[in-house]
Amino acid sequence: MAGDRPRYGLLISALGAIVLAVSVFLPWYGVSFTAAGLAFAQQVGDQAASQFGNAALQSYMSNFHANLSSLVGHQFMALSAHQALKDLNVVLLLLAGLAIAITLMALAGSGSSSSGGHRAPLVLLGIFAAVCVLYRMVDPPSPAGNFLALALREGAWLALLGSVAIVAGALWPDRLGAPTPSDAKLQSVWSELSGWTPEG
């Protein structure tokens, strides 16, 4: 089972890369009207009703405004990273694709999973992806100034989880309870004194 432990890490990294790629097409932001946006919509509606409408239309607009004011903060649509982040979504997909390719090559190679040559590239890819995701979580795009507000949705959190999983899989230990240098010294001294080795 100890020889399979590097493969567990590679599988975790591969799963994280797949989650990262899929999350690009999931909702990242929920879109809702702000109070300023609804006030602007009401102002435009009142101007249109006063210029082109009659009394019935003005009465309808006043009732419509009363219903419209209750929509502040309520999400009426969602945006994925593919829709809202035109450049970053391509970067995230490239990072996920590279991570998947590295893990598949390491899993296919007989000794590559134990040599650890895949660890550094996967760590770098995962960290870079996590930084990109965190940047757009802290500083989301502004689609319409102060008129619309964006709230984080599950896609952004899944992208962050996938990025962290790539790094965690790359740092997955080859075996649990690996002996420290002091333990190795104790084992060598014990073997010299008793002639017994843990493997024997």
Side-chain angles (χ1 to χ4, degrees):
M1 295 296 291
D4 291 337
R5 294 198 59 80
R7 301 179 69 86
Y8 295 158
L10 288 171
L11 290 174
I12 292 174
S13 294
L15 181 61
I18 293 172
V19 170
L20 176 62
V22 172
S23 69
V24 171
F25 303 98
L26 296 178
W28 273 46
Y29 306 106
V31 184
S32 60
F33 285 111
T34 62
L38 289 179
F40 177 76
Q42 290 173 357
Q43 180 181 1
V44 172
D46 289 338
Q47 291 176 353
S50 62
Q51 289 182 358
F52 305 106
N54 52 19
L57 180 60
Q58 294 178 4
S59 175
Y60 173 78
M61 289 301 296
S62 63
N63 294 330
F64 179 71
H65 291 340
N67 295 328
L68 195 65
S69 60
S70 64
L71 295 177
V72 176
H74 286 75
Q75 296 181 9
F76 63 91
M77 67 176 295
L79 293 175
S80 67
H82 181 66
Q83 296 170 319
L85 310 175
K86 296 303 182 185
D87 296 325
L88 188 59
N89 73 47
V90 178
V91 173
L92 293 177
L93 287 175
L94 287 175
L95 293 174
L98 287 173
I100 292 173
I102 291 173
T103 54
L104 289 180
M105 287 189 296
L107 285 169
S110 57
S112 58
S113 62
S114 60
S115 64
H118 61 278
R119 293 180 186 272
L122 286 177
V123 169
L124 291 176
L125 290 174
I127 290 176
F128 185 57
V131 169
C132 292
V133 173
L134 283 173
Y135 167 67
R136 276 314 183 184
M137 292 177 74
V138 175
D139 185 22
S142 54
N146 296 326
F147 297 150
L148 297 176
L150 297 181
L152 291 177
R153 291 283 301 269
E154 61 274 11
W157 294 106
L158 283 175
L160 182 61
L161 178 63
S163 303
V164 172
I166 294 173
V167 177
L171 298 178
W172 192 266
D174 290 343
R175 53 182 177 177
L176 290 178
T180 61
S182 60
D183 292 334
K185 287 182 179 180
L186 286 175
Q187 289 181 2
S188 63
V189 170
W190 175 254
S191 63
E192 288 175 3
L193 291 176
S194 62
W196 177 84
T197 57
E199 293 79 12

